[in-house]
Amino acid sequence: MTTATLPASTKPSRPVRWTFPKAASAVGAVILAVIWLIPLLWALDTSLKPEPETTRAPITWLPEAPTADAYRSVIDQGDLIRWFFNSTIVSVLVTTLTLVVSVLAAYGFSRTKFPGRKVLFGLIIAGILVPPQVLIVPLFQEMTGLGLVDTYWGMVLPQVVAPVMVFVLKKFFDGISRDYEDAARVDGASRWRIVWSVMVPMSRPILVAVGIFTFIGAWNNFLWPFIVTTDPSMMTIPVGLANVQGSYGLRYAQIMASAVLGGLPLLIVYALFQRHVVRGVGDAGIKG
Amino acid sequence: MAVETPPRVTPGTPPTAAKAGTEQPWKERWGGLFFVAPFLLLFVLFMLWPIVSGLWNSFFNTSLAGVKHEFLGLQNWRDLFGDPAVWSSLKNTLVFTAMSTPPLVIIALVMALLANRKGLLGWLLRFSYFAPFVLPATVVTLIWVWIYQPGFGLVNGLLTAGGFAEIDWLNTENRAMLAVVITTVWWTVGFNFLLYLAALQGIPAQVYEAAAIDGANGRQQLFRITLPLLSRTTGLIVVLQLVASLKIFDQIYLMTTGGPNHATRPIIMYIYETGFTSYRIGYASAISYLFFAIIVIVAVAQFKLFSGRGEAE
């Protein structure tokens, strides 16, 4: 007892105690979080107000009588559901194809040998430097030539070319011991089988991370779908919503209702997969 | 031990080697290419080909319909250097990059230090800081245009309530860029925050325990241990952020359409306007290449910086 109390009085005790710096950092963290949430809450708040209340001069905080009118009229106008449908198709296609094509390429570069392999890999790595934005003009010409303007494939295919994903996956595959596939090969598995039943299951966390980020990127991509679609019925949510401000005029409750509906799907996805997202950024970002 | 390992290896290798040698030498030599082929095909079609055709176009007087196809030689390139719109939009891009990068790095670091805790509070903090990042640019700009709205927007509502004069953020020349930067920081800081958070969680707890035993207080631990250990991550984040900021287009196009009076028009928007509004494909391609060159220079310079630092460590 006496020996235990002596060091405890000279040094700060080990178990968590709310010292001033600790409390201050928690309070600071919460204040920052509130600041970051306010724009989202303000959008939600506005969307629940009756239209006249949104443009009242001294701003009001909570709606006097919350109403879902704005949501009803936004959904009744119909386009939002169509855009949601388009976004889903495009994002699912982009994510699936990116994963399949990148996994195969990463395996090829990590585990097989063929003439010119190093040169090709170098070329693809150089592709990481190419900002998609510099390609919009020639790419649009190409899509016009291929007849892919205003089609899902026109939106999807250029987004599937993600050299950085090949790079990240190849590095990950390099770290997987060859013992597993040697064992599978002894059992008679082909290389094709090895990819799907050895490499893919062993790299699940990184594939989930790559998948989630590809999906978010595809869902939110603005510039390319904006350029390659002119028909409103083919637009994705980000592109379709760009025209909302003009068509709704100054009806802010409706504009905010469409913003909330447009942002909600990914907020839900993120809330569900937060653990994977946080870890995935670490895996892909720090090591890659 | 030394006797046991070789036999385990040898039975595995001869069969495959023999099989490859006798039955399918072609497949063994070129088979790997099949795995790479699907990606390669898309890479050639949708990255390599546009790069090459863009460069080709930059020597021609090509319109979007591709009707006029008159060889100009270096005319587009000469025009580019004499075009004030190229330089002013490039300046806007650089101004945006210079204004947005420091807060996007510093606030991300502060957030990571604050949110590196377990339990429900940690989860809520991580959610709040990163949530805006998952929103589409359009949703973000719809919300912020409304927030900046004169008369009854949130910011001006607070300003007038506090007795300050109202600011027409998006229509005032020296305020519009600031407004876009604030929106961008709110929207994208979450990504850098997660990079910092991952790096923080990678620092072994023993390092801090050892420091605490040596009597280092919280501030000393922060400045002598945490921040130095994060310097590599900071380098990475700065590179990624510089390149990302140079690509600015979405927010500006959606919030100000480059206005007022082209005061916020970035270089990519000028490329877009040249190509898709003025239909000058050849000229737009030449400007694209100028921009591309800048991105490559930044990336290579940073890479040099990194590898130099790697050797020093």
Side-chain angles (χ1 to χ4, degrees):
Chain A
M1 273 298 275
T2 38
T3 40
T5 39
L6 192 66
S9 56
T10 49
K11 261 196 266 174
S13 58
R14 291 264 85 211
V16 185
R17 241 177 54 192
W18 284 93
T19 56
F20 175 72
K22 266 191 190 141
S25 87
V27 170
V30 170
I31 291 175
L32 204 54
V34 170
I35 294 174
W36 246 251
L37 287 177
I38 279 178
L40 295 177
L41 296 174
W42 179 244
L44 183 66
D45 182 53
T46 306
S47 72
L48 295 171
K49 286 176 180 171
E51 219 51 79
E53 201 183 326
T54 60
T55 51
R56 205 170 289 168
I59 53 171
T60 55
W61 291 108
L62 291 175
E64 279 161 16
T67 166
D69 282 353
Y71 288 91
R72 237 171 267 133
S73 31
V74 163
I75 289 172
D76 282 347
Q77 283 162 4
D79 281 348
L80 202 64
I81 289 166
R82 174 79 202 178
W83 299 334
F84 183 85
F85 176 76
N86 292 340
S87 276
T88 308
I89 289 189
V90 168
S91 310
V92 167
L93 277 175
V94 168
T95 309
T96 315
L97 286 174
T98 303
L99 282 174
V100 170
V101 162
S102 306
V103 161
L104 287 176
Y107 179 81
F109 285 121
S110 173
R111 289 298 203 267
T112 69
K113 285 203 171 72
F114 53 88
R117 184 179 62 113
K118 288 207 171 122
V119 177
L120 275 182
F121 188 64
L123 188 68
I124 288 172
I125 293 313
I128 294 177
L129 280 180
V130 181
Q133 290 87 345
V134 309
L135 301 180
I136 50 175
V137 175
L139 205 52
F140 182 78
Q141 271 187 308
E142 188 182 345
M143 288 300 169
T144 314
L146 293 171
L148 290 178
V149 173
D150 272 327
T151 65
Y152 289 130
W153 290 116
M155 282 186 265
V156 168
L157 289 174
Q159 296 191 62
V160 173
V161 184
V164 69
M165 297 306 181
V166 176
F167 178 71
V168 167
L169 290 176
K170 192 239 177 208
K171 273 190 88 175
F172 192 84
F173 286 173
D174 284 346
I176 296 179
S177 163
R178 279 167 192 263
D179 294 352
Y180 301 99
E181 42 181 322
D182 286 344
R185 195 169 290 186
V186 169
D187 291 344
S190 65
R191 284 195 290 202
W192 178 258
R193 277 274 315 269
I194 287 173
V195 173
W196 303 114
S197 48
V198 178
M199 304 306 274
V200 166
M202 292 199 68
S203 26
R204 246 190 58 149
I206 190 104
L207 290 177
V208 169
V210 167
I212 291 172
F213 273 95
T214 307
F215 189 87
I216 295 178
W219 186 280
N220 288 349
N221 193 353
F222 174 71
L223 182 58
W224 179 244
F226 169 68
I227 283 170
V228 85
T229 55
T230 50
D231 177 359
S233 74
M234 286 307 291
M235 288 176 179
T236 56
I237 286 189
V239 181
L241 283 182
N243 302 318
V244 151
Q245 189 104 40
S247 58
Y248 293 177
L250 295 182
R251 274 171 282 173
Y252 289 106
Q254 286 186 29
I255 293 173
M256 286 306 106
S258 55
V260 169
L261 290 177
L264 209 54
L266 278 196
L267 281 178
I268 293 170
V269 170
Y270 169 55
L272 292 176
F273 291 103
Q274 176 160 294
R275 211 163 47 91
H276 297 284
V277 174
V278 172
R279 201 175 48 195
V281 171
D283 285 354
I286 297 298
K287 288 162 202 159
Chain B
M1 275 296 270
V3 197
E4 215 181 16
T5 24
R8 246 207 298 157
V9 180
T10 30
T13 25
T16 36
K19 213 167 130 190
T22 53
E23 282 175 37
Q24 344 167 276
W26 184 87
K27 200 177 170 190
E28 193 63 25
R29 191 165 152 76
W30 291 99
L33 199 56
F34 282 98
F35 290 97
V36 181
F39 181 85
L40 207 58
L41 179 70
L42 293 170
F43 181 79
V44 169
L45 274 177
F46 301 115
M47 187 166 274
L48 222 50
W49 171 250
I51 289 176
V52 174
S53 76
L55 186 62
W56 181 251
N57 278 336
S58 74
F59 300 111
F60 288 87
N61 174 14
T62 316
S63 72
L64 195 61
V67 193
K68 280 186 288 174
H69 212 84
E70 171 194 349
F71 185 73
L72 289 180
L74 291 173
Q75 190 57 48
N76 281 331
W77 294 84
R78 271 195 293 270
D79 286 354
L80 181 135
F81 287 100
D83 182 352
V86 167
W87 300 108
S88 74
S89 58
L90 198 57
K91 193 200 87 192
N92 291 335
T93 295
L94 294 178
V95 166
F96 172 82
T97 305
M99 284 172 78
S100 61
T101 303
L104 280 167
V105 175
I106 294 165
I107 296 175
L109 174 61
V110 171
M111 283 177 161
L113 291 170
L114 291 175
N116 188 17
R117 49 182 97 223
K118 295 190 166 71
L120 183 64
L121 180 60
W123 191 93
L124 286 174
L125 293 174
R126 287 194 294 276
F127 181 84
S128 320
Y129 298 161
F130 188 73
F133 186 81
V134 305
L135 300 174
T138 332
V139 168
V140 169
T141 52
L142 284 178
I143 293 175
W144 280 87
V145 167
W146 166 227
I147 286 176
Y148 290 129
Q149 182 71 37
F152 23 80
L154 185 59
V155 172
N156 283 317
L158 292 175
L159 281 179
T160 45
F164 296 96
E166 207 174 76
I167 297 169
D168 189 356
W169 292 88
L170 298 174
N171 294 310
T172 311
E173 268 190 40
N174 48 14
R175 288 280 183 274
M177 191 60 100
L178 179 65
V180 172
V181 168
I182 292 172
T183 302
T184 306
V185 170
W186 177 80
W187 182 28
T188 62
V189 75
F191 188 75
N192 296 347
F193 154 68
L194 283 193
L195 287 176
Y196 266 128
L197 191 67
L200 271 183
Q201 290 171 347
I203 300 176
Q206 294 98 297
V207 177
Y208 293 105
E209 282 161 16
I213 288 168
D214 291 344
N217 62 28
R219 232 186 75 211
Q220 285 169 326
Q221 288 185 18
L222 175 64
F223 286 101
R224 300 276 173 80
I225 300 174
T226 312
L227 295 184
L229 282 176
L230 288 179
S231 63
R232 256 184 72 85
T233 309
T234 303
L236 173 82
I237 290 174
V238 170
V239 182
L240 292 177
Q241 189 54 58
L242 284 176
V243 173
S245 284
L246 288 171
K247 295 179 191 169
I248 173 74
F249 169 81
D250 297 3
Q251 306 94 292
I252 292 183
Y253 178 78
L254 291 165
M255 289 175 81
T256 68
T257 49
N261 198 18
H262 298 314
T264 56
R265 180 173 64 186
I267 185 82
I268 290 178
M269 201 170 138
Y270 188 54
I271 295 171
Y272 169 79
E273 286 174 0
T274 309
F276 295 99
T277 319
S278 319
Y279 303 116
R280 296 178 64 196
I281 293 286
Y283 190 46
S285 299
I287 307 170
S288 298
Y289 266 85
L290 174 73
F291 172 69
F292 189 14
I294 293 168
I295 294 274
V296 170
I297 288 169
V298 170
V300 169
Q302 298 288 354
F303 179 76
K304 282 263 164 73
L305 210 72
F306 258 108
S307 43
R309 201 183 283 171
E311 279 159 17
E313 265 172 25

Short mmCIF file of all heavy atoms in Angstrom, two decimals, chain A residues 126-134, chain B residues 90 93-94 97 239-248 267-268 271 287-303:
data_model
loop_
_atom_site.label_atom_id
_atom_site.label_comp_id
_atom_site.label_asym_id
_atom_site.label_seq_id
_atom_site.Cartn_x
_atom_site.Cartn_y
_atom_site.Cartn_z
N ALA A 126 2.52 4.52 -65.18
CA ALA A 126 2.57 5.90 -65.66
C ALA A 126 1.16 6.45 -65.83
O ALA A 126 0.90 7.65 -65.68
CB ALA A 126 3.33 5.97 -66.97
N GLY A 127 0.21 5.55 -66.13
CA GLY A 127 -1.19 5.96 -66.30
C GLY A 127 -1.79 6.56 -65.04
O GLY A 127 -2.78 7.29 -65.11
N ILE A 128 -1.20 6.23 -63.86
CA ILE A 128 -1.71 6.81 -62.61
C ILE A 128 -1.61 8.32 -62.66
O ILE A 128 -2.44 9.04 -62.10
CB ILE A 128 -0.90 6.26 -61.40
CG1 ILE A 128 -1.17 4.76 -61.25
CG2 ILE A 128 -1.26 6.98 -60.11
CD1 ILE A 128 -0.38 4.10 -60.15
N LEU A 129 -0.59 8.81 -63.38
CA LEU A 129 -0.36 10.26 -63.45
C LEU A 129 -1.37 10.97 -64.34
O LEU A 129 -1.49 12.19 -64.29
CB LEU A 129 1.04 10.52 -64.01
CG LEU A 129 2.21 10.39 -63.05
CD1 LEU A 129 3.50 10.68 -63.78
CD2 LEU A 129 2.04 11.36 -61.89
N VAL A 130 -2.06 10.23 -65.20
CA VAL A 130 -2.93 10.89 -66.18
C VAL A 130 -4.24 11.31 -65.52
O VAL A 130 -5.02 10.47 -65.11
CB VAL A 130 -3.23 9.95 -67.36
CG1 VAL A 130 -4.12 10.65 -68.38
CG2 VAL A 130 -1.94 9.48 -68.00
N PRO A 131 -4.49 12.61 -65.41
CA PRO A 131 -5.77 13.04 -64.84
C PRO A 131 -6.87 12.81 -65.87
O PRO A 131 -6.72 13.23 -67.02
CB PRO A 131 -5.58 14.54 -64.59
CG PRO A 131 -4.19 14.87 -65.02
CD PRO A 131 -3.66 13.75 -65.81
N PRO A 132 -7.96 12.14 -65.48
CA PRO A 132 -9.04 11.87 -66.43
C PRO A 132 -9.53 13.16 -67.11
O PRO A 132 -9.99 13.12 -68.24
CB PRO A 132 -10.15 11.27 -65.57
CG PRO A 132 -9.49 10.83 -64.32
CD PRO A 132 -8.26 11.65 -64.14
N GLN A 133 -9.38 14.28 -66.41
CA GLN A 133 -9.86 15.55 -66.94
C GLN A 133 -9.19 15.94 -68.25
O GLN A 133 -9.80 16.62 -69.06
CB GLN A 133 -9.64 16.68 -65.92
CG GLN A 133 -10.53 16.60 -64.71
CD GLN A 133 -9.94 15.71 -63.60
OE1 GLN A 133 -9.01 14.95 -63.82
NE2 GLN A 133 -10.50 15.80 -62.41
N VAL A 134 -7.92 15.53 -68.47
CA VAL A 134 -7.26 15.95 -69.70
C VAL A 134 -7.75 15.12 -70.90
O VAL A 134 -7.45 15.44 -72.03
CB VAL A 134 -5.71 15.87 -69.63
CG1 VAL A 134 -5.19 16.58 -68.40
CG2 VAL A 134 -5.21 14.45 -69.68
N LEU B 90 -5.25 29.49 -65.51
CA LEU B 90 -4.18 28.76 -64.84
C LEU B 90 -3.86 29.41 -63.49
O LEU B 90 -3.67 28.74 -62.48
CB LEU B 90 -2.93 28.76 -65.72
CG LEU B 90 -1.87 27.72 -65.40
CD1 LEU B 90 -2.45 26.32 -65.46
CD2 LEU B 90 -0.70 27.84 -66.38
N THR B 93 -6.48 28.43 -61.02
CA THR B 93 -6.24 27.07 -60.52
C THR B 93 -5.15 27.08 -59.46
O THR B 93 -5.28 26.44 -58.41
CB THR B 93 -5.84 26.15 -61.69
OG1 THR B 93 -6.94 26.03 -62.58
CG2 THR B 93 -5.44 24.78 -61.20
N LEU B 94 -4.07 27.82 -59.73
CA LEU B 94 -2.96 27.86 -58.77
C LEU B 94 -3.38 28.57 -57.48
O LEU B 94 -3.01 28.14 -56.38
CB LEU B 94 -1.74 28.55 -59.39
CG LEU B 94 -1.11 27.79 -60.57
CD1 LEU B 94 0.06 28.57 -61.15
CD2 LEU B 94 -0.65 26.40 -60.14
N THR B 97 -5.36 26.19 -55.51
CA THR B 97 -4.49 25.16 -54.92
C THR B 97 -3.76 25.73 -53.70
O THR B 97 -3.68 25.08 -52.66
CB THR B 97 -3.48 24.67 -55.97
OG1 THR B 97 -4.21 24.23 -57.12
CG2 THR B 97 -2.65 23.53 -55.44
N VAL B 239 1.30 15.83 -51.45
CA VAL B 239 1.35 15.49 -52.88
C VAL B 239 -0.05 15.21 -53.41
O VAL B 239 -0.47 15.78 -54.43
CB VAL B 239 2.17 14.21 -53.14
CG1 VAL B 239 2.24 13.94 -54.63
CG2 VAL B 239 3.54 14.31 -52.56
N LEU B 240 -0.75 14.30 -52.74
CA LEU B 240 -2.07 13.92 -53.20
C LEU B 240 -2.98 15.14 -53.28
O LEU B 240 -3.76 15.32 -54.21
CB LEU B 240 -2.70 12.87 -52.27
CG LEU B 240 -2.05 11.50 -52.26
CD1 LEU B 240 -2.72 10.60 -51.23
CD2 LEU B 240 -2.11 10.86 -53.64
N GLN B 241 -2.86 16.02 -52.28
CA GLN B 241 -3.73 17.19 -52.22
C GLN B 241 -3.40 18.19 -53.32
O GLN B 241 -4.29 18.75 -53.94
CB GLN B 241 -3.64 17.85 -50.84
CG GLN B 241 -4.68 18.92 -50.64
CD GLN B 241 -6.07 18.38 -50.91
OE1 GLN B 241 -6.51 17.43 -50.28
NE2 GLN B 241 -6.79 18.96 -51.87
N LEU B 242 -2.10 18.40 -53.56
CA LEU B 242 -1.72 19.34 -54.62
C LEU B 242 -2.29 18.88 -55.96
O LEU B 242 -2.91 19.67 -56.69
CB LEU B 242 -0.19 19.45 -54.73
CG LEU B 242 0.52 20.27 -53.65
CD1 LEU B 242 2.03 20.18 -53.84
CD2 LEU B 242 0.07 21.72 -53.71
N VAL B 243 -2.11 17.59 -56.25
CA VAL B 243 -2.60 17.08 -57.53
C VAL B 243 -4.12 17.17 -57.58
O VAL B 243 -4.70 17.59 -58.59
CB VAL B 243 -2.11 15.63 -57.75
CG1 VAL B 243 -2.76 15.03 -58.98
CG2 VAL B 243 -0.60 15.60 -57.90
N ALA B 244 -4.79 16.83 -56.46
CA ALA B 244 -6.26 16.89 -56.44
C ALA B 244 -6.75 18.33 -56.60
O ALA B 244 -7.69 18.59 -57.34
CB ALA B 244 -6.79 16.29 -55.14
N SER B 245 -6.10 19.28 -55.93
CA SER B 245 -6.53 20.67 -56.01
C SER B 245 -6.32 21.25 -57.41
O SER B 245 -7.12 22.04 -57.88
CB SER B 245 -5.79 21.53 -54.99
OG SER B 245 -6.30 21.32 -53.69
N LEU B 246 -5.22 20.83 -58.06
CA LEU B 246 -4.97 21.34 -59.41
C LEU B 246 -6.07 20.91 -60.39
O LEU B 246 -6.29 21.54 -61.40
CB LEU B 246 -3.60 20.85 -59.92
CG LEU B 246 -2.38 21.50 -59.26
CD1 LEU B 246 -1.11 20.78 -59.69
CD2 LEU B 246 -2.28 22.97 -59.62
N LYS B 247 -6.75 19.80 -60.05
CA LYS B 247 -7.79 19.29 -60.94
C LYS B 247 -9.15 19.94 -60.68
O LYS B 247 -10.18 19.46 -61.16
CB LYS B 247 -7.94 17.78 -60.77
CG LYS B 247 -6.73 16.98 -61.20
CD LYS B 247 -7.02 15.50 -60.94
CE LYS B 247 -5.79 14.66 -61.08
NZ LYS B 247 -6.04 13.29 -60.57
N ILE B 248 -9.19 21.00 -59.90
CA ILE B 248 -10.46 21.63 -59.52
C ILE B 248 -11.31 21.95 -60.75
O ILE B 248 -10.85 22.55 -61.70
CB ILE B 248 -10.20 22.91 -58.69
CG1 ILE B 248 -11.49 23.68 -58.41
CG2 ILE B 248 -9.22 23.84 -59.39
CD1 ILE B 248 -12.36 23.05 -57.40
N ILE B 267 -8.46 26.15 -65.01
CA ILE B 267 -7.96 25.76 -66.33
C ILE B 267 -8.82 24.65 -66.95
O ILE B 267 -9.09 24.68 -68.15
CB ILE B 267 -6.46 25.36 -66.25
CG1 ILE B 267 -5.88 25.06 -67.64
CG2 ILE B 267 -6.21 24.17 -65.35
CD1 ILE B 267 -5.47 26.27 -68.40
N ILE B 268 -9.29 23.70 -66.14
CA ILE B 268 -10.09 22.62 -66.72
C ILE B 268 -11.41 23.15 -67.28
O ILE B 268 -11.92 22.67 -68.27
CB ILE B 268 -10.33 21.49 -65.70
CG1 ILE B 268 -9.00 20.78 -65.44
CG2 ILE B 268 -11.36 20.49 -66.19
CD1 ILE B 268 -9.06 19.69 -64.43
N ILE B 271 -10.67 24.51 -70.62
CA ILE B 271 -10.58 23.40 -71.58
C ILE B 271 -11.99 22.97 -71.99
O ILE B 271 -12.29 22.80 -73.17
CB ILE B 271 -9.82 22.20 -70.97
CG1 ILE B 271 -8.36 22.57 -70.69
CG2 ILE B 271 -9.91 20.98 -71.87
CD1 ILE B 271 -7.60 21.52 -69.89
N ILE B 287 -4.37 22.85 -74.83
CA ILE B 287 -4.43 23.34 -73.44
C ILE B 287 -4.40 22.16 -72.47
O ILE B 287 -3.75 22.21 -71.42
CB ILE B 287 -5.69 24.20 -73.20
CG1 ILE B 287 -5.80 25.31 -74.24
CG2 ILE B 287 -5.66 24.83 -71.81
CD1 ILE B 287 -7.12 26.04 -74.20
N SER B 288 -5.10 21.06 -72.84
CA SER B 288 -5.09 19.87 -71.99
C SER B 288 -3.66 19.40 -71.76
O SER B 288 -3.29 19.01 -70.64
CB SER B 288 -5.87 18.72 -72.63
OG SER B 288 -7.20 19.06 -72.81
N TYR B 289 -2.86 19.45 -72.82
CA TYR B 289 -1.49 18.99 -72.69
C TYR B 289 -0.65 19.89 -71.80
O TYR B 289 0.20 19.44 -71.05
CB TYR B 289 -0.84 18.79 -74.06
CG TYR B 289 -0.98 17.36 -74.48
CD1 TYR B 289 -2.13 16.93 -75.11
CD2 TYR B 289 0.00 16.44 -74.17
CE1 TYR B 289 -2.30 15.61 -75.45
CE2 TYR B 289 -0.16 15.11 -74.50
CZ TYR B 289 -1.30 14.70 -75.14
OH TYR B 289 -1.47 13.38 -75.44
N LEU B 290 -0.92 21.19 -71.88
CA LEU B 290 -0.22 22.12 -70.98
C LEU B 290 -0.52 21.75 -69.53
O LEU B 290 0.36 21.65 -68.68
CB LEU B 290 -0.66 23.55 -71.27
CG LEU B 290 -0.12 24.61 -70.31
CD1 LEU B 290 1.36 24.86 -70.58
CD2 LEU B 290 -0.89 25.92 -70.42
N PHE B 291 -1.82 21.51 -69.25
CA PHE B 291 -2.24 21.15 -67.90
C PHE B 291 -1.62 19.82 -67.46
O PHE B 291 -1.12 19.68 -66.35
CB PHE B 291 -3.77 21.07 -67.85
CG PHE B 291 -4.31 20.54 -66.58
CD1 PHE B 291 -4.21 21.28 -65.40
CD2 PHE B 291 -4.91 19.29 -66.52
CE1 PHE B 291 -4.70 20.77 -64.22
CE2 PHE B 291 -5.39 18.78 -65.34
CZ PHE B 291 -5.28 19.53 -64.18
N PHE B 292 -1.64 18.86 -68.38
CA PHE B 292 -1.07 17.54 -68.12
C PHE B 292 0.40 17.68 -67.72
O PHE B 292 0.86 17.07 -66.74
CB PHE B 292 -1.23 16.70 -69.40
CG PHE B 292 -0.88 15.25 -69.23
CD1 PHE B 292 -0.73 14.67 -67.99
CD2 PHE B 292 -0.74 14.44 -70.36
CE1 PHE B 292 -0.43 13.32 -67.86
CE2 PHE B 292 -0.44 13.11 -70.24
CZ PHE B 292 -0.28 12.55 -69.00
N ALA B 293 1.12 18.53 -68.48
CA ALA B 293 2.54 18.72 -68.20
C ALA B 293 2.75 19.25 -66.78
O ALA B 293 3.65 18.82 -66.06
CB ALA B 293 3.15 19.67 -69.22
N ILE B 294 1.87 20.17 -66.36
CA ILE B 294 2.00 20.74 -65.01
C ILE B 294 1.80 19.65 -63.95
O ILE B 294 2.57 19.55 -62.99
CB ILE B 294 1.00 21.89 -64.81
CG1 ILE B 294 1.39 23.05 -65.71
CG2 ILE B 294 0.94 22.33 -63.36
CD1 ILE B 294 0.34 24.11 -65.83
N ILE B 295 0.77 18.81 -64.14
CA ILE B 295 0.51 17.72 -63.20
C ILE B 295 1.72 16.79 -63.11
O ILE B 295 2.16 16.40 -62.02
CB ILE B 295 -0.74 16.91 -63.63
CG1 ILE B 295 -1.99 17.77 -63.54
CG2 ILE B 295 -0.88 15.64 -62.82
CD1 ILE B 295 -2.63 17.80 -62.19
N VAL B 296 2.27 16.45 -64.27
CA VAL B 296 3.41 15.53 -64.29
C VAL B 296 4.61 16.16 -63.58
O VAL B 296 5.29 15.50 -62.79
CB VAL B 296 3.77 15.13 -65.74
CG1 VAL B 296 5.08 14.37 -65.78
CG2 VAL B 296 2.66 14.28 -66.33
N ILE B 297 4.84 17.46 -63.84
CA ILE B 297 5.98 18.13 -63.19
C ILE B 297 5.82 18.09 -61.67
O ILE B 297 6.75 17.75 -60.94
CB ILE B 297 6.11 19.59 -63.69
CG1 ILE B 297 6.62 19.58 -65.14
CG2 ILE B 297 7.06 20.38 -62.80
CD1 ILE B 297 6.53 20.92 -65.83
N VAL B 298 4.61 18.41 -61.19
CA VAL B 298 4.37 18.39 -59.74
C VAL B 298 4.61 17.00 -59.18
O VAL B 298 5.32 16.81 -58.19
CB VAL B 298 2.92 18.86 -59.42
CG1 VAL B 298 2.60 18.61 -57.95
CG2 VAL B 298 2.75 20.32 -59.76
N ALA B 299 4.04 15.99 -59.86
CA ALA B 299 4.16 14.62 -59.36
C ALA B 299 5.60 14.16 -59.35
O ALA B 299 6.07 13.57 -58.37
CB ALA B 299 3.29 13.69 -60.20
N VAL B 300 6.33 14.45 -60.43
CA VAL B 300 7.72 13.99 -60.51
C VAL B 300 8.58 14.72 -59.47
O VAL B 300 9.40 14.10 -58.79
CB VAL B 300 8.28 14.19 -61.93
CG1 VAL B 300 9.79 13.96 -61.95
CG2 VAL B 300 7.60 13.22 -62.90
N ALA B 301 8.35 16.03 -59.33
CA ALA B 301 9.11 16.79 -58.34
C ALA B 301 8.88 16.21 -56.94
O ALA B 301 9.82 16.03 -56.17
CB ALA B 301 8.70 18.26 -58.38
N GLN B 302 7.63 15.90 -56.65
CA GLN B 302 7.31 15.34 -55.34
C GLN B 302 7.93 13.97 -55.17
O GLN B 302 8.40 13.61 -54.09
CB GLN B 302 5.80 15.27 -55.16
CG GLN B 302 5.13 16.62 -55.19
CD GLN B 302 5.41 17.42 -53.94
OE1 GLN B 302 6.01 16.92 -53.02
NE2 GLN B 302 4.99 18.67 -53.94
N PHE B 303 7.91 13.19 -56.27
CA PHE B 303 8.49 11.85 -56.20
C PHE B 303 9.98 11.95 -55.87
O PHE B 303 10.50 11.22 -55.03
CB PHE B 303 8.28 11.12 -57.52
CG PHE B 303 8.87 9.74 -57.53
CD1 PHE B 303 8.24 8.70 -56.87
CD2 PHE B 303 10.06 9.49 -58.19
CE1 PHE B 303 8.79 7.43 -56.87
CE2 PHE B 303 10.61 8.22 -58.19
CZ PHE B 303 9.99 7.19 -57.53
#
